[in-house]
Amino acid sequence: MSVAEAALAVSCVVAVGTVGPGGAALAATTESVAVVRPVSGGPGDEGTRSAVRTGPIFNSPQAGSARRDAIADQVARLIAGTPSGETIAVAMYHFASLDTAAQLVAASRRKVHVQVVLDHESTDYVAYKRLRAGLGRDRRKSSWVVVCGRGRGCIGPSFNHNKFFLFSTTLGNRDVVVQTSANATDGARDTQWNDALTIKDAAVHEGYLRYFDDLAARHPNGDYHSTVQAGAYRIDFFPWAKGDPISAALDKVSCAGGTRIRLSLGHFTWAPIAQRLWKLDDAGCRVQVVFDRIGRRAARRLTKPGGRNGNPEIRYLSENSRVYAHSKYLLIDGGYEGTRQKVVFTGSNNYTAVGFHGHDEAMVTIADGALEDRYAANFDPLFGRAHRIKATGMASVPAAVLEQDDGRLTGSVE
């Protein structure tokens, strides 16, 4: 029985709720779309069972252990709170955390069904060997770990770059999803700024489980291109053969009345998005971008002279070649799809050709004012501590933060 089938078998009744702010405006437009029932439990709604902290969590590698370990502590608490007979599903690019491996093995020993899909690169880590010894590799059993083929994803032609945790039940709450930018590594805590969005929603959980089952089945598909519309949430699963949802979203932005766009990324090499950001700034939007690494074409498009509003504000956050930006979120505050709203896009994708067209990835989109405010409260001080780049000066981009342009399904990923 697949994970999704098992979940559906035990959740015959779900509570039907209302679509959150802007939900109607986020109708899916991509090729393969599954529409599932909306349920209660928005990203800022703790509800009556507040043991699971929903909404965003952000770590800071330079603000003490509580902030540094915030995402890892959330994951550890959810693993510990999963009772016997329930299921934890994990898809991860780099899995090197001995702590998380021990937590998952301990969960399996108390009869939790623990199922893990990893990129092949994780086989080099001791943590993977602990998982393999503790869970086994037989998918006919209730707990297992499997890896994608060497040099490719489980579905896409490049890596399995996913970073998510699914819990059928934890701490008395059903259908919990954690979508994060953080790998399960010590470096994700100690050297990176990351984000994680925790959602309690049966339809979102079901959509992720379907994708997880496809990852575990390991059938190549260069145009997986699946989108789930789950009430207020839209979830895009990758790879896509062409196009990307961020470019499509930016084409729906209006700068009339004042619109602010904030973007925090690890790697930014996809020039079509950079070109749209420049045009939106030229049209009167305020555009702010912070990154760790940027491609030459993307940098040239962002710094092209002639913009009527001074060009996008771009900065890099890479300190002492050790501590750097790694979140992958876009915030829109203003005109979007014909109405004024606040929208968050977050997931595991870097904005690169391989991130959209080669990797196994997942991205969540939701219009929610309170959620966007919390992400903005993370972005603003992060942007404030980042290093300025001259708005019209490609030459002011340090060589250390430039990387190869897109063109092949290769390149830096994290």
Side-chain angles (χ1 to χ4, degrees), residues 332-344:
I332 297 174
D333 179 359
Y336 181 68
E337 292 194 327
T339 187
R340 296 195 65 79
Q341 55 185 315
K342 296 182 177 184
V343 189
V344 175

Side-chain angles (χ1 to χ4, degrees), residues 41-47 54-56 198 233 368 370-371 374:
D45 176 19
E46 296 292 343
T54 58
T198 302
Y233 298 94
D368 185 291
L371 180 67
R374 292 169 71 180

Side-chain angles (χ1 to χ4, degrees), residues 114-132:
V114 178
Q115 302 174 357
V116 182
V117 176
L118 300 178
D119 186 78
H120 195 277
E121 287 190 5
S122 285
T123 60
D124 292 334
Y125 299 125
V126 174
Y128 164 71
K129 296 174 175 62
R130 299 276 176 87
L131 286 178
R132 186 180 63 192

Side-chain angles (χ1 to χ4, degrees), residues 13 22 103 122 135 175 179 186 216-217 226 228 232 262 270 305 309 336 368 377 380 386 407:
V13 180
Q103 293 154 11
S122 285
L135 306 180
D175 302 315
Q179 173 63 64
D186 292 340
S226 175
V228 170
R262 300 172 174 97
W270 189 227
N309 292 290
Y336 181 68
D368 185 291
D380 290 345

Side-chain angles (χ1 to χ4, degrees), residues 193-278:
W193 280 274
N194 279 298
D195 72 290
L197 179 61
T198 302
I199 302 167
K200 293 187 296 186
D201 187 290
V204 172
H205 186 263
E206 178 185 332
Y208 267 91
L209 280 173
R210 291 174 182 168
Y211 180 53
F212 179 82
D213 284 339
D214 288 343
L215 290 169
R218 293 169 288 182
H219 297 312
N221 183 353
D223 193 18
Y224 185 83
H225 199 156
S226 175
T227 296
V228 170
Q229 191 69 41
Y233 298 94
R234 166 177 165 151
I235 309 100
D236 288 292
F237 298 111
F238 299 83
W240 293 15
K242 60 183 179 179
D244 71 89
I246 298 302
S247 292
L250 292 175
D251 287 343
K252 300 171 186 176
V253 172
S254 168
C255 297
T259 294
R260 189 168 181 179
I261 299 170
R262 300 172 174 97
L263 174 60
S264 178
L265 281 176
H267 297 265
F268 187 9
T269 62
W270 189 227
I273 294 175
Q275 182 173 356
R276 285 169 169 82
L277 291 172
W278 188 94

